[in-house]
Amino acid sequence: AELQAQLGQLQVRHTGATERAAVLEELEKRLEGLSAGVKQLLADAQGASTGVFREIRGLVADLLHVNFETAGLIEVALGEIAGCLVVTGGHDVVEHLQHSGSLTGRVGLVRLDAPPPKTHLDAIDLRTRDGVLGRADEFVETTPEFAVLARRLLGKTWIVETLNHALALAEGAGRGLNFVTRGGELVTADGTLYLGP
């Protein structure tokens, strides 16, 4: 009887999870949460083998893969950049979009060919500091083509245990870097603090 009760509970949970997965898959298919301009360019790029649209590689969020446990933290670290399009020939795409005037909404582009800025922050290594879990780009898997992108977008953000750790590092050894806590708080290099779910 006890096993039957457990089985019933598991079946209810399974049904709920299956329904939620179906809803999420439908939202993903409809590109829910993206601007009209991004949806338009993704549609234009679909199957494009010539022209500037073949330069569009996809959304930042789709090109960087993370495990379930750290997905929310990487989403906080990326912020709005997660919904930007990655392009290889940035100049060509920008020129085409400027002259066509056909965009139906705002679009953010991340150029793969843009040189990464060199700063002293690249040399800061906080791995041995108390409360540090690692640099954000180390929690991301991607193809070799996009490894530089992951480093450029997430290399100045560190994942830490608590807000106290983040604040202490931001005021000390990690000055100029961004910090995301396990709880999803974000401390940025300019002193902005984001709290709440």
Side-chain angles (χ1 to χ4, degrees):
E2 189 176 315
L3 288 173
Q4 285 292 1
Q6 288 176 358
L7 177 62
Q9 290 173 349
L10 289 173
Q11 287 172 333
V12 167
R13 286 178 51 201
H14 180 266
T15 301
T18 303
E19 290 171 1
R20 178 157 170 72
V23 168
L24 292 174
E25 285 173 7
E26 182 59 30
L27 290 173
E28 185 178 21
K29 269 192 243 176
R30 291 194 329 235
L31 301 174
E32 202 63 39
L34 298 178
S35 74
V38 171
K39 288 179 184 180
Q40 174 193 345
L41 287 181
L42 283 174
D44 291 343
Q46 193 89 10
S49 58
T50 60
V52 295
F53 294 117
R54 68 180 160 71
E55 304 292 339
I56 297 173
R57 297 304 212 210
L59 288 171
V60 169
D62 291 339
L63 300 175
L64 305 178
H65 306 287
V66 296
N67 64 34
F68 180 76
E69 291 79 29
T70 57
L73 303 180
I74 299 302
E75 183 179 1
V76 169
L78 287 171
E80 291 182 11
I81 292 175
C84 290
L85 292 174
V86 176
V87 295
T88 52
H91 292 295
D92 297 336
V93 174
V94 169
E95 189 173 314
H96 172 78
L97 294 176
Q98 280 180 318
H99 296 304
S100 71
S102 62
L103 277 179
T104 58
R106 194 161 178 84
V107 175
L109 301 176
V110 176
R111 294 177 35 212
L112 274 179
D113 60 344
K118 291 285 184 193
T119 68
H120 72 285
L121 300 174
D122 295 326
I124 297 175
D125 188 352
L126 302 174
R127 285 177 187 86
T128 59
R129 300 287 178 146
D130 188 39
V132 173
L133 302 174
R135 202 175 57 219
D137 64 314
E138 297 168 347
F139 293 87
V140 171
E141 291 180 11
T142 190
T143 62
E145 179 183 10
F146 304 115
V148 172
L149 176 71
R151 175 80 165 119
R152 186 169 18 134
L153 297 180
L154 296 168
K156 291 177 181 56
T157 302
W158 289 78
I159 310 294
V160 297
E161 288 284 351
T162 67
L163 184 57
N164 287 338
H165 289 117
L167 293 172
L169 288 165
E171 294 168 4
R175 184 170 296 159
L177 297 171
N178 300 322
F179 297 92
V180 175
T181 70
R182 272 192 195 264
E185 294 105 351
L186 172 65
V187 177
T188 66
D190 65 6
T192 307
L193 176 61
Y194 296 92
L195 303 170

